[in-house]
Amino acid sequence: MTTVLLHGLGADRRQPLGLFESMVQEVSGADEVVIAPEVRAHGGFLAVGEPADFAIDRLAAEVCEQVPAAMADARRGGRAAAEPVTIIGISMGAAIALRIALAGLLPVARAVFVRPAFDDRSLPEHLRPFPVIGQILADAGPAGAAEFRERAIYQRVAAMSPAGGRALLAQFKAPDASRRAMRLVEVPRNRAFDAEAELAGLGARGIRSFVVGAVRDPVHPVAVAEQWAGGLRMPMELVPGRDDGQAAQAAALQERVARWLSRV
C-alpha cells in the first residue's frame, strides 16, 4: 500500500512527514510506502513559473506526476503498481488532495483532510493575509516582516491566536521566500470545490474520508472544516489549537488520524 502526504502553503514535505510518517507505518505496517511530494515553489521544487501554474488542478497534476517515480524508488526500482492510495493533506495540501481524489488522478481509497482552509470562495477573508505577505515579500523582501506586523490584517489574526500570528510571520523566513512570493499571492485565489454538492462526489466514488479541524485557528476556521465534513457526509473531529502548544496539537492529530485509519 501507499500513503501520499501533502504539505501546506509555505511549508515543505518535512511538515507532513514529521507529523504522520511514523504513525502511518505503525498503523499500516513497516512496508507501507510513504511519499511526500513537494508542491511547486516549495521545498526542493525550485521552479516558480507563472500565475497560471498555481491553479489548484495544475498543482494536483504536478504532484501526481511525482508519485509513480517515488513509488518505484521506494520499491528499489520495482514497477509502481496501480494499488489503492491513502492521501493525507494539510491546509493547501487538503485542497490538492481533494482535487486529486475527485479527478481520479490517483487510485485514492482513503482521504484525510487536515485543517482545511480552502472552500468554494476565491480568496476568503481568512486567507487574505497571504497575498499581502506575498506582495510585501516581492517589494521589500524578508525585512518586510516589520511592515506586516503593523498591518491590521496581521494584528487581527495575532489577537485571536498568537501562534497563528507567528505562523504568518514565519512566511518571511521561509527559504527563498522573496523569489517564491507568487505562491502566496496566487494559491489563495483557488477554490477547493465549486459547490458543496461537488464534495458528495467523493463518497459516490467509494472514497472514504475524514476531516480534522483545529479550534481557535483564524486561518483554518472550524466552520470550513464543518463545511467539508457536511458536504462529504463523512466524520470530523477537532484537535487543540496551536496556542495550546504545537506538541499537543501534533499528538492529537496523530491520535485522531491513527484511530480513523485503523478502523477503515
Side-chain angles (χ1 to χ4, degrees), residues 223-247:
V224 174
E226 290 172 339
Q227 182 183 19
W228 279 56
L232 292 164
R233 300 170 192 162
M234 292 291 177
M236 169 188 156
E237 292 194 33
L238 294 175
V239 296
R242 286 183 280 192
D243 293 288
D244 295 317
Q246 198 66 48

Side-chain angles (χ1 to χ4, degrees), residues 102-113:
L102 286 172
L105 298 178
L106 292 174
V108 176
R110 304 184 297 185
V112 180
F113 305 115

Side-chain angles (χ1 to χ4, degrees), residues 23 27 86-88 109-113 207-212 234-237 253-264:
M23 178 276 292
V27 171
T86 298
I87 193 163
I88 303 175
R110 304 184 297 185
V112 180
F113 305 115
I207 298 171
R208 294 159 293 177
S209 60
F210 178 48
V211 180
V212 184
M234 292 291 177
M236 169 188 156
E237 292 194 33
L253 271 172
Q254 292 159 358
E255 186 275 331
R256 307 290 196 278
V257 176
R259 179 155 38 88
W260 184 79
L261 291 174
S262 67
R263 291 200 309 254
V264 297

Side-chain angles (χ1 to χ4, degrees), residues 77-104:
R79 186 176 178 182
E83 62 186 24
V85 168
T86 298
I87 193 163
I88 303 175
I90 302 169
S91 189
M92 174 188 73
I96 293 173
L98 178 67
R99 301 316 305 170
I100 289 170
L102 286 172

Side-chain angles (χ1 to χ4, degrees), residues 7-74:
H7 63 77
L9 180 60
D12 59 39
R13 65 192 301 269
R14 294 173 296 177
Q15 179 198 36
L17 284 170
L19 272 172
F20 296 122
E21 183 178 28
S22 61
M23 178 276 292
V24 164
Q25 291 183 329
E26 182 177 339
V27 171
S28 301
D31 59 344
E32 180 80 1
V33 176
V34 179
I35 297 169
E38 303 278 24
V39 178
R40 171 177 288 271
H42 292 77
F45 197 132
L46 301 181
V48 175
E50 303 299 325
D53 293 319
F54 292 93
I56 199 82
D57 287 330
R58 188 169 297 189
L59 295 177
E62 282 185 338
V63 161
C64 292
E65 288 169 2
Q66 301 175 53
V67 171
M71 290 174 68
D73 288 346

